[in-house]
């Protein structure tokens, strides 16, 4: 057992939650994935397992390390199973009332000392923290997708977040191998403030016929040294998720560059949501989209 082995509860076993649970277990902590029904829990744990097994088969970790991480991963639908959590990481749907309600319920379940992290992309940390009777322990920790691979986490304090909670959160993130940047509790934090308009501009360039999906991706990877092109990235994120994030930022910031271009709506209407649908800007053999 590692000296500071914590119990980490991850709420929501979807795209982000499963990756965050992998990150916690790989970092030597005990990770409990909580979702609303058995099928969602199973899906999250299966995705976590297939990522760890694939990583081992690629030589990125040993089979023993994968086994150890899996032994530290469990799932539940029952909130009372996370009573011993030292850190609760919320990664449920991007819905303010849902997140507030969850933190209100958790006040009566977990210890007063537990940290509450929210992985919101576009909502205010202060507004989410208002659901808890102890907003001083609520910290925004915005992981990048895929959370199990991307190192950076943006950290944002709500209006009542204590400096002690932020300090402990930074230590926790360091313990799971993440690098952090501190940002303000503002729509889009740092990254989505320029990533979203940039992706929208790439889509507009495609609509204007400046290049093809492939040529624009090649130009960005070749010249800007991004690890993947904008359309590969949009397929990983999902067109529906991109639209939701763009729209929420547009509604809050009122700048046209955040508004999703019309092609996004047409692709969503056609079911071309990206990797998870087997088809987006590219087509895929497998519908599995959990990391590389
Ligand atoms: N997808 C991304 O690229 C990305 C990146 C950074 C942050 N985020 C944020 O992370 C959060 C989750 O996004 P996602 O893409 O993983 O969503 P998702 O739809 O893939 O998963 C959400 C999960 O939450 C579960 N859920 C809903 N209510 C719940 C409850 N009361 N308790 C436990 N689980 C519950 C759902 O069943 C689902 O499995 C959102 O706030 C989103 O804005 C997403």
């Amino acid at each position: 057992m590692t000296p500071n082995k914590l119990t980490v509860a991850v709420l929501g076993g979807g795209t982000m939650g499963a990756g965050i649970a992998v990150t916690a277990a790989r970092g030597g902590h005990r990770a409990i994935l909580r979702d609303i029904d058995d099928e969602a829990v199973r899906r999250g744990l299966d995705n976590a397992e297939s990522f760890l097994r694939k990583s081992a088969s690629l030589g990125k970790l040993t089979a023993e390390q994968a086994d150890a991480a899996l032994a530290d991963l469990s799932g539940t639908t029952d909130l009372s199973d996370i009573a011993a959590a030292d850190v609760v990481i919320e990664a449920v749907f991007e819905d303010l009332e849902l997140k507030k309600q969850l933190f209100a319920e958790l006040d009566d379940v977990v210890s007063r000392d537990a940290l509450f992290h929210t992985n919101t992309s576009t909502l205010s940390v202060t507004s989410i923290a208002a659901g808890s009777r102890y907003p001083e322990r609520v910290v925004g920790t915005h992981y990048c997708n895929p959370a199990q691979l991307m190192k950076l986490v943006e950290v944002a304090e709500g209006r009542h977040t204590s400096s002690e909670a932020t300090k402990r959160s930074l230590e926790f993130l360091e313990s799971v191998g993440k690098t952090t940047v501190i940002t303000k509790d503002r729509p889009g934090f740092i990254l989505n403030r320029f990533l979203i308009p940039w992706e929208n501009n790439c889509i507009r360039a495609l609509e204007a016929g400046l290049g093809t999906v492939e040529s624009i991706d090649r130009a960005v990877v070749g010249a800007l040294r991004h690890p993947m092109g904008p359309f590969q990235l949009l397929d990983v994120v999902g067109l529906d998720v991109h639209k939701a994030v763009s729209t929420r930022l547009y509604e809050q910031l009122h700048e046209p560059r955040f508004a999703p271009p019309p092609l996004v709506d047409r692709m969503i209407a056609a079911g071309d949501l990206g990797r998870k649908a087997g088809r987006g800007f590219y087509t895929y053999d497998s519908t599995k989209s959990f990391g590389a």
Side-chain angles (χ1 to χ4, degrees):
M1 190 162 125
T2 44
N4 289 318
K5 191 173 183 109
L6 302 176
T7 298
V8 180
V10 181
L11 307 180
T15 308
M16 297 305 290
I20 293 170
V22 166
T23 302
R26 279 286 292 122
H29 302 297
R30 207 174 293 106
I32 308 172
L33 196 65
R34 193 263 175 169
D35 211 306
I36 38 179
D37 57 43
D38 290 335
E39 200 193 319
V41 172
R42 189 70 266 148
R43 202 170 35 240
L45 291 176
D46 284 351
N47 279 335
E49 176 165 5
S50 69
F51 172 77
L52 287 165
R53 296 275 175 236
K54 190 169 174 191
S55 300
S57 75
L58 293 172
K60 293 181 178 168
L61 72 170
T62 64
E64 291 73 31
Q65 287 170 322
D67 287 343
L70 282 167
D72 273 330
L73 262 174
S74 62
T76 187
T77 54
D78 187 349
L79 259 198
S80 64
D81 285 342
I82 67 163
D86 301 295
V87 184
V88 177
I89 307 173
E90 171 280 302
V92 302
F93 299 136
E94 187 76 334
D95 176 320
L96 178 60
E97 289 313 313
L98 173 66
K99 289 178 192 276
K100 281 176 74 173
Q101 171 66 30
L102 207 46
F103 279 1
E105 279 175 51
L106 283 165
D107 280 345
D108 298 322
V109 175
V110 298
S111 136
R112 176 86 197 265
D113 291 333
L115 289 170
F116 282 5
H117 288 174
T118 173
N119 183 47
T120 182
S121 302
T122 58
L123 300 170
S124 140
V125 176
T126 301
S127 303
I128 294 169
S132 170
R133 291 198 299 281
Y134 314 111
E136 64 277 5
R137 60 157 148 193
V138 180
V139 180
T141 58
H142 182 239
Y143 291 70
C144 300
N145 183 8
Q148 69 277 23
L149 290 175
M150 300 293 283
K151 282 231 162 240
L152 189 89
V153 177
E154 295 180 287
V155 175
E157 294 184 331
R159 190 169 166 83
H160 295 299
T161 305
S162 71
S163 49
E164 174 64 17
T166 305
K167 181 171 162 283
R168 285 172 57 209
S169 300
L170 293 173
E171 285 165 2
F172 167 72
L173 288 163
E174 191 183 336
S175 79
V176 297
K178 296 300 186 193
T179 54
T180 50
V181 286
I182 307 268
T183 180
K184 296 267 184 217
D185 181 21
R186 301 282 185 277
F189 304 122
I190 297 174
L191 286 174
N192 280 337
R193 273 291 180 112
F194 52 80
L195 179 63
I196 296 294
W198 179 77
E199 284 173 332
N200 284 338
N201 271 344
C202 293
I203 298 169
R204 289 186 193 105
L206 179 69
E207 282 180 320
L210 299 185
T212 61
V213 166
E214 291 80 4
S215 68
I216 295 172
D217 272 355
R218 263 206 317 279
V220 167
V221 171
L224 302 182
R225 301 254 173 218
H226 289 205
M228 61 176 84
F231 301 114
Q232 291 167 315
L233 178 61
L234 282 160
D235 275 358
V236 170
V237 169
L239 273 291
D240 50 344
V241 173
H242 175 76
K243 180 180 173 176
V245 174
S246 297
T247 304
R248 285 200 195 94
L249 291 179
Y250 178 57
E251 284 166 0
Q252 294 176 79
L253 298 164
H254 309 291
E255 292 177 38
R257 63 202 182 102
F258 288 98
L263 177 58
V264 174
D265 276 333
R266 290 203 302 281
M267 290 182 66
I268 293 172
D272 297 350
L273 300 181
R275 274 182 176 266
K276 63 187 168 191
R279 199 173 54 194
F281 288 101
Y282 296 91
T283 50
Y284 302 89
D285 289 338
S286 158
T287 55
K288 290 233 178 240
S289 64
F290 196 69

